Each structure stands twice: as C-alpha cells, then as structure tokens.
Amino acid sequence: MMQRNRLRAAGLLAVAVVAGGLTAACGDDSGSDQVSVSLITKNSTNPFFVTMQDGAKQAAAAEGVKLTIAAGKADGDEAGQVQAIEDAIARGDKGILITPNGPGVNPAIKKARDAGLYVIALDTPPDPANTVDITFATDNFKAGELIGKWTATSLAGKPATIAMLDLFNDKIVSVDYNRDQGFLTGMGIDAKDRKRNGDEAKTGSYAGGGTYSIVCNEPTNGAEDGGRTAMERCLTKNPAVNVVYTINEPAAVGAQKALQAAGAKDVLVVSVDGGCDGVKQVKDGLINATSQQYPTKMAELGVKAIKQIATGGEKPKVTGGLDFFDTGVALVTDKPAAGTESIDSTEGAKRCWGKS
C-alpha cells in the first residue's frame, strides 16, 4: 500500500512537472512572436532625447512592439551605449534604434548586425554612414546652413565677430561637424574640410560683403553648463562677440546666461533643435533663430521600420541624393530674412518635435 502511494505521488509529481513545463513553453512561444526593439539614446536628460523616448513608447504601444530603453550617462558616453548594444544582442532583440555617442560604438553596432539585428541610427548618422543599416535624421548640414544664411542676411554687411560653440573637441561626430560646417557655408565662409571643425580661415568676408572674425571653437557637450563655460571662454578672448552659433538649444541657453552676466547686447544667437522650450526662447528673443528637428517622427519611423522588417516587410530606403532618410527641418524665427524660408514661433510651437 505504501509502495503504491509512493508511486502515485511520483506520478502526480511527474504530471505536474510536465504541465508546468508546457505552461512555460506556451508563455515563451507567445512572447517570442512579439517584435522586440531597443532604443539607445545619447542620454536621458536632454529634452530632445526624452521626447524621442516618448515617441518610441507611443509607437511601440501602437505597433505591439516590446521596447527597451537605454542611454549613455551623458553625451559622449560610448561605453554605456556599447553595454546597451550587448544587452540587446543577448536579449535577442530584432533591432536597435540608436543615437550614436561617437565612433567608439561602431564595433558594437557591427557585432549587432552580424548577430542579425537591424540597426537604425536616429538623429546622428555614424561615420561612415554604412556602419548602420539606415539612418533616420535631420539633414544636419542643411540645419546649420539655414541658420547661417539667416545670420548673414540679418547682419546686413556689419562686421561679424563669431563664437562657435560646438559639441566636442576630443572626438569627431557627424552631427557636430555637419551643423558647424553647414552654418559656416550658409554664412558664405569657406569651411574647407567639411568633416573637420575649426580649420576655416579665422578672418575674411562673409556673404553680402561683410567681414568676419572667428574668436573661438569651444566644446559644450550639448549641455547648458557647457554652453555657459564655453561662452565665458570666448568672451575672455574677445568681449565684442556679436554672433553666437550653438550646437543645440541647451548650449544656447547657457551661452545667453554668460552673455547676460557680461552685459553683452545686440548679439545674434542661433541654434539647432526647435524644441518647445527652444521655440519659446525664440519668441522671448533669447534665441534669434533655430532649425527645428522632429525626433518624435524619427522614433516612430524607426519602430515601425523594425516591426515591418521583422514581419517580412520591405526595408526602408534613403532619401534621394542623400545617404540617410531625411525627416525634415524648418527654420524658426520671428525676424524672417529675405531669401531664407522660415516659420514663426507660433507655427514652430505647433510643430515642435512632432510632425514635420
């Protein structure tokens, strides 16, 4: 009797184990059908990347995609992004959306692609562009060119004493040199090597016949405190700065604080981003003109593209004449310049970081 009870108990246990195993397998099978995507931004503090993350979340919910969000600790943190890529590979994600922090992430991106993940860069094309499968981004050179053309026209031949507030001075990133070199080109200044900041002639003439002098090329790390420190350094070199190019709007805010503290007046400050706060700064006169990007659109298109590819659909294609998919850009200013198409701050507020 005792032997029969032991055998019966063992049999019930075996059934329970098998049933448990089948339940787990069913759960795994249902989960494996869901497309999983990682979004890896430069950081999680810049409003631009926070907006991008929110756009990806909304798109993932709409598309039934499992989304994992990761980021570097700060702009330029390549190691943090490399770890996030490794994690995506280990999870078996179908694809990665990434705003690369620099060339140091390129080998990890290659590893992900070799493992079968489809990798899309957002906002910042890597160098070389074919490091990823495709990039969804603003035409950053055009964004810089728009604010450069606006500046040259607005100066109306007055001498330009220019401060260039860039992203880095210790690494080469496409978004950095494209915006910088685009601005100079828009100003009518020979940028020389378009992939190198700071090699242009420091003095000369800009479009329209005015003279210029470039006081500085200072890094800001795309942050407000970096913008303020960079501007302070430039003012130390020449307090007569009357044109300030900034890599993005947080840097522009920092620059304005330094200018105000120094009592500087009649300074044209131009930037790139077009965020809702940045558009308000245009309206308030703190930023004179900015080129508006659409990070929500980048994220939405990226999530949809990976879902489409993972379910047997076609791969996205680049915009004609470019090596990336152009998500659009618009110049926002309340002081339009002849010959440069723009929208005002009211329209900019309607569009800010949403749909182009």
Side-chain angles (χ1 to χ4, degrees):
M1 177 66 113
M2 187 176 294
Q3 179 68 22
R4 283 201 303 270
N5 286 342
R6 281 201 294 267
L7 289 171
R8 183 171 179 270
L12 290 171
L13 178 60
V15 170
V17 169
V18 171
L22 288 172
T23 301
C26 286
D28 289 345
D29 285 345
S30 63
S32 65
D33 290 338
Q34 187 177 31
V35 174
S36 54
V37 176
S38 282
L39 170 64
I40 306 169
T41 55
K42 292 182 180 180
N43 60 59
S44 289
T45 54
N46 187 318
F48 183 88
F49 299 119
V50 173
T51 299
M52 183 177 283
Q53 291 171 355
D54 290 342
K57 289 175 185 175
Q58 292 170 11
E63 296 290 326
V65 167
K66 183 179 179 182
L67 180 69
T68 300
I69 290 178
K73 293 179 180 177
D75 224 325
D77 176 17
E78 294 167 311
Q81 289 195 318
V82 168
Q83 183 59 58
I85 294 169
E86 295 280 0
D87 292 343
I89 297 170
R91 270 194 307 273
D93 287 352
K94 297 296 184 182
I96 293 172
L97 308 173
I98 184 168
T99 58
N101 262 327
V105 303
N106 287 5
I109 290 174
K110 182 180 185 302
K111 183 177 179 181
R113 293 179 70 189
D114 288 345
L117 282 74
Y118 194 84
V119 183
I120 299 175
L122 304 180
D123 176 60
T124 305
D127 193 358
N130 63 4
T131 301
V132 293
D133 288 286
I134 195 170
T135 296
F136 293 156
T138 307
D139 186 335
N140 282 299
F141 186 87
K142 182 178 178 181
E145 193 174 24
L146 284 170
I147 54 175
K149 287 181 177 178
W150 180 90
T151 301
T153 303
S154 299
L155 284 167
K158 291 189 298 185
T161 305
I162 306 169
M164 303 289 294
L165 304 194
D166 295 316
L167 187 57
F168 301 124
N169 64 355
D170 60 345
K171 65 184 69 179
I172 298 172
V173 179
S174 62
V175 68
D176 196 5
Y177 62 70
N178 277 327
R179 293 181 186 182
D180 176 301
Q181 302 292 276
F183 169 78
L184 293 174
T185 301
M187 281 282 293
I189 297 170
D190 182 5
K192 293 192 176 179
D193 184 345
R194 278 181 45 170
K195 290 190 175 183
R196 181 181 175 190
N197 290 346
D199 67 338
E200 64 279 346
K202 300 306 176 188
T203 60
S205 298
Y206 67 85
T211 60
Y212 77 87
S213 63
I214 296 175
V215 172
C216 58
N217 281 81
E218 289 288 339
T220 66
N221 292 316
E224 182 178 328
D225 56 349
R228 180 163 188 162
T229 300
M231 192 69 247
E232 288 170 346
R233 288 175 179 161
C234 293
L235 289 171
T236 298
K237 295 176 181 178
N238 189 333
V241 168
N242 65 348
V243 173
V244 180
Y245 154 84
T246 61
I247 182 69
N248 64 5
E249 288 161 4
V253 171
Q256 270 291 7
K257 289 183 176 179
L259 290 165
Q260 290 168 359
K265 296 180 179 179
D266 299 324
V267 180
L268 295 180
V269 178
V270 294
S271 195
V272 178
D273 263 354
C276 298
D277 287 343
V279 171
K280 185 178 184 303
Q281 288 150 10
V282 170
K283 186 174 183 178
D284 294 342
L286 296 175
I287 296 175
N288 299 98
T290 190
S291 286
Q292 187 171 71
Q293 307 183 87
Y294 303 103
T296 298
K297 183 176 181 180
M298 296 175 199
E300 288 175 349
L301 289 171
V303 169
K304 289 178 181 178
I306 292 177
K307 168 71 178 294
Q308 182 172 305
I309 294 164
T311 53
E314 292 185 5
K315 296 179 180 179
K317 298 178 181 179
V318 299
T319 301
L322 300 173
D323 58 6
F324 60 93
F325 183 99
D326 186 1
T327 53
V329 63
L331 180 70
V332 182
T333 182
D334 285 334
K335 297 180 178 178
T340 304
E341 186 177 350
S342 64
I343 59 176
D344 63 19
S345 61
T346 300
E347 181 62 23
K350 292 178 183 177
R351 297 189 191 184
C352 60
W353 283 352
K355 297 178 180 179
S356 62

